[in-house]
Amino acid sequence: MNRRKKVASVLLKSCEMLARFWGYKYLVLRAYEDDLGAQTLYANAGYKIVSSDPVWTTSWIGRRRRVLMIKNVI
């Protein structure tokens, strides 16, 4: 998929509109900490990082660390 077609941005905006319609106040998502492309996309859409996975889940279990991002849609 060509990233320059802004498909992901359109999908995020659609989710935001639907969330408002349904009366939600926030949208929350997770992104991998090392995926700077995804984090940039979400940050440009207004999402803020509020937390990340605990260190023990990534260093002991061997999973990729994720960040939790949130956006107020009201």
Side-chain angles (χ1 to χ4, degrees):
M1 181 178 292
N2 187 343
R3 291 179 184 233
R4 305 216 189 283
K5 292 191 179 189
K6 307 289 182 189
V7 173
S9 297
V10 171
L11 288 172
L12 285 173
K13 287 181 188 207
S14 297
C15 289
E16 184 177 329
M17 288 173 36
L18 195 55
R20 275 196 211 113
F21 178 74
W22 287 340
Y24 290 102
K25 295 179 182 179
Y26 301 97
L27 285 175
V28 179
L29 56 81
R30 289 196 182 271
Y32 288 115
E33 187 177 60
D34 60 355
D35 189 347
L36 299 180
Q39 285 189 44
T40 301
L41 170 73
Y42 301 140
N44 288 342
Y47 287 83
K48 305 283 185 224
I49 295 175
V50 294
S51 70
S52 59
D53 286 341
V55 174
W56 67 268
T57 62
T58 55
S59 61
W60 294 354
I61 298 175
R63 289 193 307 189
R64 288 170 64 194
R65 194 165 182 179
R66 300 170 301 174
V67 294
L68 181 70
M69 301 180 81
I70 191 168
K71 178 179 182 175
N72 186 334
V73 293
I74 292 181

